[in-house]
């Protein structure tokens, strides 16, 4: 059993990493930074200049902004200035109204907003906002984490500065974990100490349900649940897992004003770590305790993988979250720690290298690919079938296998990341 002191650290870690978010977290983080800069300025700005890291730019270009019916950064920036409240954190756009959207469109048409790539070295997650009004100006910078302000300045005077290390792993690096730690914590911690994770099930299940009441994104969730989808996929637990997970992603990526529970700064990761476990557990008639522990296992596995992968990378986040859900499903199937480790190896062998080409409605397709692999990996794992150490990235030690995958994503795919951004920003 995990010592009490470390248990408390892990609980604090999960509570930091599994939080509500409305809209895609990259443009929302930009809105948050703008809101902080405007609050510091003390009045509405005449101009807003936003400088972003390449990964932030890539992930914020193609997603819907909640409550607007619009896509992309300009409206997210305008609304951050007009109605954003930094105290709301990743729900910064909670107070968006049709009137605010109209005013935001006017701000955009007046060419008061500029967005550019940050020059020089910076974190993969980096946002710098400059706002001006008359002779006054303010600056706010977020780095390393979607809500981690490292500097706030007004008229050249530093109001706040955080010199702590703010690298891609800033929010997760303070608790050293192994997969065995993750499993032990999730399966042995007193239930009342981890019951808070059930909020993820409530929030993301509601997002999935509400998605089916509208027409969001590519409507993958609705397509899978319609007669055509049922005719092809069947009326099965598997099809229910895919439709429930993709529906929530459809709504989120299209900009529905529906909050979801995120994981490690990503709503899609929160959805993918939650919905497969919830649907499987309910339809498999697992107990409430088993589902709670499986949810914690899923979310904490995703957090653990992100410790070495970093907040943003060229590796699609669905690989991380789906690996977590595969662990949770394996546990709900009655799997042991060894079989949970087998499911991780199966996931890495199949999905390592899936490219992140920005946040957008088609993320629902990638999430569904990851979740379908999660189920297959769990099915093999509980039969003690797994990819062996003579194959590809897999080693006998599951933690080394995880780090092989995250090295690919955080280091090996950097050139891929640059090419993806070049393609996205130079379309004809």
């Amino acid at each position: 059993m995990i010592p009490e002191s470390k248990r408390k650290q892990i609980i604090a870690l999960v509570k930091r990493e599994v939080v509500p978010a409305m809209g895609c977290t990259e443009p929302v983080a930009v809105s948050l930074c703008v809101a902080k800069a405007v609050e510091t300025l003390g009045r509405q700005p005449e101009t807003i200049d936003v400088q972003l890291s390449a990964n932030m730019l890539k992930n914020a270009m193609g997603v819907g902004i909640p409550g607007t019916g619009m896509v992309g950064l300009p409206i997210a920036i305008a609304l951050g200035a007009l109605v954003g409240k930094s105290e709301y954190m990743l729900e910064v756009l909670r107070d968006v109204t049709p009137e605010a959207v109209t005013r935001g469109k006017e701000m955009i048409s007046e060419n008061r907003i500029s967005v550019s790539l940050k020059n020089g070295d910076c974190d993969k997650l980096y946002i710098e906002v400059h706002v001006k009004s008359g002779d006054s100006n303010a600056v706010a910078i977020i780095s390393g984490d979607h809500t981690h302000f490292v500097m706030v300045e007004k008229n050249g005077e530093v109001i706040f500065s955080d010199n702590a290390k703010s690298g891609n792993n800033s929010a997760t690096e303070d608790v050293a974990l192994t997969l065995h730690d993750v499993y032990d914590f999730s399966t042995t911690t007193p239930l009342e100490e981890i019951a808070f994770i059930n909020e993820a099930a409530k929030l993301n299940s509601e997002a999935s349900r509400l998605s089916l009441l509208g027409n969001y994104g590519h409507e993958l969730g609705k397509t899978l649940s319609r007669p055509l989808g049922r005719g092809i996929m069947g009326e099965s637990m598997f099809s229910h897992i895919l439709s429930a997970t993709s529906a929530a992603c459809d709504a989120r990526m299209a900009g529905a004003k529906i909050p979801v529970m995120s994981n490690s700064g990503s709503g899609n990761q929160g959805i993918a770590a939650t919905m497969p476990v919830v649907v499987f557990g309910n339809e498999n008639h697992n107990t409430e305790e088993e589902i709670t522990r499986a949810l914690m296992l899923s979310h904490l596995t995703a957090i653990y993988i992100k410790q070495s992968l970093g907040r943003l990378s060229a590796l699609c986040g669905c690989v991380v979250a789906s690996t977590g859900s595969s662990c949770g499903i394996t546990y709900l199937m009655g799997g042991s720690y060894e079989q949970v480790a087998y499911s991780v190896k199966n996931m890495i062998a199949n999905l390592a290298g899936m490219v992140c080409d920005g946040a957008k409605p088609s993320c629902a397709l990638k999430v569904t690919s990851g979740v379908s692999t999660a189920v297959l990996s769990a099915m093999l794992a509980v039969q003690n079938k797994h990819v062996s150490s003579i194959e590809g990235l897999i080693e006998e030690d599951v933690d080394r296998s995880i780090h092989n995958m995250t090295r690919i994503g955080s280091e090996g795919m950097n050139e891929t990341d640059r090419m993806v951004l070049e393609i996205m920003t130079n379309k004809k």
Side-chain angles (χ1 to χ4, degrees), residues 75-219:
I75 191 64
I77 292 167
L79 291 174
L82 292 168
V83 297
K85 293 182 181 177
S86 63
E87 65 192 78
Y88 291 169
M89 302 303 277
L90 292 180
E91 293 182 282
V92 61
L93 298 182
R94 187 194 303 172
D95 295 337
V96 168
T97 63
E99 293 75 19
V101 174
T102 299
R103 290 166 58 203
K105 291 178 180 178
E106 292 173 356
M107 183 180 286
I108 295 168
S109 68
E110 293 166 358
N111 295 318
R112 293 162 56 190
I113 296 169
S114 65
V115 182
S116 60
L117 190 64
K118 174 67 177 178
N119 292 321
D121 291 334
C122 63
D123 286 321
K124 289 187 176 182
L125 197 165
Y126 184 89
I127 307 163
E128 183 174 324
V129 175
H130 295 253
V131 294
K132 294 181 180 179
S133 179
D135 294 332
S136 293
N137 64 82
V139 181
I141 298 175
I142 285 176
S143 182
D145 181 275
H146 293 81
T147 60
H148 184 212
F149 286 95
V150 296
M151 199 272 284
V152 178
E153 179 184 290
K154 182 176 182 180
N155 295 330
E157 179 184 350
V158 175
I159 295 172
F160 171 82
S161 178
D162 183 354
N163 294 318
K165 184 179 178 182
S166 61
N168 291 325
N169 312 327
S170 61
T172 58
E173 64 186 5
D174 55 343
V175 183
L177 294 171
T178 65
L179 187 66
H180 209 296
D181 289 336
V182 170
Y183 180 86
D184 282 351
F185 173 84
S186 302
T187 58
T188 65
T189 297
L191 189 62
E192 63 273 14
E193 294 184 21
I194 61 171
F196 67 88
I197 200 66
N198 290 318
E199 288 301 312
K202 292 177 183 177
L203 204 59
N204 291 345
S205 294
E206 181 66 0
S208 180
R209 185 188 72 81
L210 291 174
S211 176
L212 298 179
L213 302 180
N215 296 311
Y216 297 109
H218 299 300
E219 298 181 42

